[in-house]
Amino acid sequence: MEIEVSNLTEADIDGAVKAVQDAFAEDPYNQWVYDHSKFNVKRNAASLGIRMRWGIRNGIFHIAKEKESGKVLGVAMWIRPRPANDPPTWNDWLEGWRLYLNQIGMNLYYGRGGLNVKRYYIWKDAQAKVQSELWDDPRGYYFLNIMVVLPEAQGKGVGAKMMKAVTDQADAEDMKCYLESSRDVPNIAIYGRWGFKFVKEMVCDDNGQAIKLFTMMRDPHAKPGDGR
């Protein structure tokens, strides 16, 4: 199987959305933040599509395809480093409003689609707190927001190719990388192969119904390890 990694384009979004939905169907965070008796697949696809279009313009969003068939086998969504003291630009402001208005339109059309809004903001608050504690490099971090590989393509180097596309860039710039995983096993060991190390648990607690996320950091030029 010959794999090629490229920037996400508009034409790739449907395949990328399906890959993310398939990969996260049984994800612990997904199970916690959605009421699956009310889950709306179309609303979720619209939400992911909005985010991916934002990423095409502002992030580093990659897909891995099987070269012969063109099938999307993996997706990696990175947010670029942002120096801590840099004020928002006009483009940041405009893109923020564009994203917000698109999400408002989606919610008016589809409703919440089973999203537990309270839990969503519990997660956002926990994330902001952990990042404020851990992010001590004033230049910022390459933040791996999502990485998925379809089960049929796992173990074939798809994730490694997508990861290397950005970690090589981070190494060249002497920058750190960061991620938050919803599973410790096997994800910590998998990300450890690419030089990430577990740093801290992030607990999202809704009156005793809690999940844990696992934050990991990668130093520039890090060697493979076990993630611990």
Side-chain angles (χ1 to χ4, degrees), residues 197-212:
K197 289 186 177 180
F198 169 73
V199 182
K200 183 181 178 70
E201 290 183 356
M202 183 171 82
V203 178
C204 304
D205 191 342
D206 179 14
N207 295 323
Q209 296 185 26
I211 59 161
K212 292 180 182 179

Side-chain angles (χ1 to χ4, degrees), residues 28-45:
Y29 170 78
N30 185 290
Q31 295 295 315
W32 179 80
V33 82
Y34 283 101
D35 176 351
H36 282 266
S37 68
K38 301 176 182 177
F39 184 71
N40 186 321
V41 174
K42 290 184 178 179
R43 189 265 186 196
N44 181 251

Side-chain angles (χ1 to χ4, degrees), residues 144 147 149 157-164 167 171 177 179 187-197 217-219 221-225 227:
L144 179 56
M147 176 176 276
V149 178
V158 175
K161 279 195 170 186
M162 291 193 295
M163 183 68 74
K164 184 174 172 58
T167 56
D171 288 345
C177 300
L179 63 82
N187 292 7
I188 286 178
I190 291 171
Y191 289 121
R193 297 173 197 161
W194 301 318
F196 283 87
K197 289 186 177 180
M217 202 82 74
R218 180 186 185 276
D219 289 328
H221 311 286
K223 302 297 184 185

Side-chain angles (χ1 to χ4, degrees), residues 131 137 225:
Q131 290 181 4
D137 190 326

Side-chain angles (χ1 to χ4, degrees), residues 30-142:
N30 185 290
Q31 295 295 315
W32 179 80
V33 82
Y34 283 101
D35 176 351
H36 282 266
S37 68
K38 301 176 182 177
F39 184 71
N40 186 321
V41 174
K42 290 184 178 179
R43 189 265 186 196
N44 181 251
S47 176
L48 288 169
I50 289 169
R51 184 63 173 173
M52 288 180 183
R53 290 180 179 92
W54 177 91
I56 289 171
R57 299 188 302 271
N58 301 282
I60 307 174
F61 282 26
H62 289 152
I63 56 166
K65 290 182 180 179
E66 184 180 13
K67 194 167 184 179
E68 185 174 342
S69 68
K71 182 178 180 179
V72 175
L73 301 175
V75 182
M77 299 162 60
W78 293 81
I79 299 173
R80 298 179 187 277
R82 182 183 183 88
N85 296 322
D86 272 15
T89 65
W90 278 107
N91 185 69
D92 295 332
W93 185 84
L94 290 170
E95 285 289 347
W97 273 104
R98 184 175 181 179
L99 181 63
Y100 174 75
L101 292 173
N102 282 333
Q103 290 170 332
I104 290 292
M106 173 193 67
N107 287 331
L108 289 173
Y109 187 81
Y110 290 106
R112 291 294 184 178
L115 178 68
N116 186 319
V117 177
K118 177 187 175 185
R119 290 187 176 182
Y120 173 81
Y121 283 107
I122 289 172
W123 164 64
K124 292 299 289 183
D125 288 344
Q127 183 183 62
K129 181 179 178 182
V130 166
Q131 290 181 4
S132 70
E133 292 174 1
L134 300 182
W135 288 18
D136 56 7
D137 190 326
R139 299 172 302 163
Y141 294 77
Y142 280 95

